Amino acid sequence: MSESLLQFKNVSKSYYGNRVLTDINFDVKKGEIHALIGENGAGKSTLMNILFGMPVITSTGGYEGEVLIDGKLINFKSPHEAMYAGIGMVHQEFMLIPGYTITENIKINREITSPNIVSRVFGKRLETLDMVQMNNDARKALDKLDMGIDEFIMVAGLPVGHMQFVEIAREIDKTGIKILVFDEPTAVLTESEAKNLLAAVRRLADKGIGIIFISHRLDEIVNVADRVTVLRDGELVVTKDIGDTDAVEIASLMIGRKVAIDRVQSDTRKISDEVFLNIKDLHVAMPGEMVKGIDIEVRKGEIVGIGGLAGQGKLGIANGIMGTYPSRGDITFNGKPMKLHAPHSAIASGIGFVSEDRKGVGLLLNESIELNIVFTAMQVGNRFLKKKGPFRFQDDSGLRKHALKMIKDLDIRCESPLQHAGSLSGGNQQKVCVARALTQDPIFLFVSEPTRGIDIGAKKLILDLLLKLNEEHGMTIVMTSSELAELRSICDRIIIICEGRVEGVLPPDASDAEFGLMMSGSRIKKGKDSSGGRAPNV
Amino acid sequence: MSETNGNGNNLLQNSRSLFGNIGLPTAIIAAFWLFTLVVGHFVGISMSTLVSDTIKRAGMNGILVLAMVPAIQSGTGPNFALPIGIVCGLFGLVCSIEMDMMGMGWLLASFSIAIPLAAFVGFIYGKLMNAVKGSEMTIATYTGFSIVALMCLAWLMIPFRNPKMGWFIGKGLRETIQLDAVGAAQILNNFLMFKMGEVIIPTGLLLTFGFFSALVWLFFRSKSGIAISAGGINPKFAQAAGLDIDRNRIFANVISTILGATGIIVYSQSYGYAQLYTAPLMMAFPAVAAILIGGATASRAKVSHVIVGVVLFQGLLTTALPVANEVFAGTDLSEIMRMIIQNGIILYALTQVKRGVQ
């Protein structure tokens, strides 16, 4: 049990001078389940990409440090090589062909064949499939997982939990599999399916396979893993035996103390008791960010933060209300019921929206800064227009005046208002997006991922700007962000979304552990043991 | 235009920015046109005739090329279904003859019948384009073909009675209707026409083209025009800004179809004949080629692209044909060359579609 199967020694990686992994040292022993945990962007995927020799690593100059398997130095150039060396991966999204049987899916591209007349002439690719042998192999792999399901059934129509098992069966059918990586394997499973899966993972480990188990469900990790390694901001925080720690500690290690942006509060702020936006039972079908029934009340003058891990649905909320994705639910805004899936009426009723997808939804990259700033106000509010006969033309001078004012007010660094928005830096692009939302004179602002992909100085400017809008103009703001630190720096309260529902609401000064536990969906009270169980939504 | 100042590095940069602003296909076609002009001069073809022809043909094709702008800007891609607009125009034109209109009256009557019809048909076509998002160009091409085929029947079966356009024996309309008969051949071309040396300037025709160009240019500076462009560049952005993209696309295709209808009437009067039946079948292609040569992409087009493109494309055709006939005497390469150039350009442009969208 103690010999090291896989070792990472001082592994570092940077993308274009941007360091994403620093001096990672960790190892996986034979028959061990080693959990890997960290927030989005902590470096989990990069580490796995290095292990699998993904092109994204090799094409960006490789990595520093050493990776050893069975004590031998390896440096895979492609995932194919990694596969031959006995490394397998079970993906979060299934890579199965629905119209094929389970056997065919398990054996794809590794079919067992026997020669026939045609293949003797035209080569190996035309040999006959040995279905009997293939079915036997598939059966063996499924039996290893205690799966009673018949191997000749089509994958299409199988329950999600079974698909996951087929995926695992494919990996263990590969001869000489030594290391198996599970990337959030339970994310799409129901509780009982997840339980079965975890039991199967344990059985595989008992057969001597080393397992890397990536998950953000702390209770699962505590239940199944032997050791846990916590990554944060590309650094390895700690590796611990699971017996020496608990979910609360892991959660606080995962969040950690980041460079805090100071929290400044002025006394002039007024938060009234009036509920400004009332969201009831909101469902949003945003791919990758599904919202599954959320109730939120926002009071006038508040800054509300919405946090949570990626893919849990926090981004879907603003998009659903603003009508960019199909949604249903009862929304009351400013005392009036709101129509859903109607961006025009949402904007007209005084809600501004700064989208998380700056380049895709937020900007017309090849158009001027000034057009980007006034666009929505022009189209929805009929401003910056001059009437001439039946036509309404853009009012060039009015538009320019406003754009110059915004450029000055928000300190947008550009050469001229005619410069294309696409040529600006990320922070300045974001300011253009904010400027456009402000030009609509909104009374309520949705801001999603306002600091994504911009440098720390610009981050501070954007956050200060939001705070200023709230303090000076009494604007109610709902900010959605993956960065807890920035939510904690300006929000009055932070709603944590997990699996499409509200997991809980925390004050900004709550402890790291509380945030960590809530974000990973493990609602374990301090002191209590990891009894697990998901609480009903708030 | 770039200025070369001897420095190698600068030269490279300049040439890059030259191609950046004008575009490689535009530059190549322009160079090729100049080359044929020079060859033409040496084989003794009258330059003034060539220039006159170029101006005339640019003017008569101009509005048809202009019809591409709204369609491209709205995101439906070049209007390969231009024949739809064209048959609307032809229908207005023959109705106007049927009513025994003459001269300017004929022209105005043609417009006033063709335009409402084109608006209606364009609306339906726009709805079709919204239903087939993602494969607009292919569907548009075959919609155009189908309409032309359908109209072949219509030309035969609609009981027009005016002898100016019927067959001498039997029923139905003639393939080619002479507009001399209604006193409308070159009616726009001859308005305020003058000669500059040997070169004929068809003032009325150019004014008409200029008028429609200005209209389209102004339109894309209006609120609706900006909304249409935004929907074409970035549908997600437009949607988030509360625009109804589908409605804008329909509107753009209505305008495009109307321009097609207007364009064919202007074209026919300059040509002196109205061509029915299968004549409109391939008419979308030269128009698409022209705007693409002018520097437009399948997703971005400006009025300046129309003007540059139509002059270059028609210039090249008018020059290359007599020159080719002269150089390769005894063969009929000219038509083949026209096909190669026109289709080659469309092919090139379509391979660039993705790059254009970025």
Side-chain angles (χ1 to χ4, degrees), chain A residues 354-408:
Chain A
V354 179
S355 168
E356 72 282 358
D357 186 1
R358 197 161 56 224
K359 292 199 158 116
V361 179
L363 292 170
L364 294 172
L365 294 172
N366 288 323
E367 299 295 331
S368 65
I369 294 170
E370 56 180 22
L371 183 69
N372 270 290
I373 290 179
V374 302
F375 188 86
T376 317
M378 180 197 284
Q379 294 295 337
V380 177
N382 283 326
R383 290 163 56 210
F384 307 104
L385 292 169
K386 271 191 302 203
K387 213 167 157 57
K388 272 196 191 142
F391 293 110
R392 280 175 300 183
F393 294 108
Q394 70 183 44
D395 171 13
D396 288 325
S397 63
L399 192 152
R400 175 69 49 84
K401 225 170 90 191
H402 177 80
L404 286 173
K405 181 175 173 297
M406 275 295 175
I407 288 172
K408 191 164 153 277

Side-chain angles (χ1 to χ4, degrees), chain B residues 155-156 163 165-176 277:
Chain B
W155 302 134
L156 273 177
M165 49 187 193
W167 292 110
F168 299 110
I169 322 164
K171 285 180 183 171
L173 299 176
R174 282 205 294 275
E175 289 222 17
T176 320
Y277 297 96

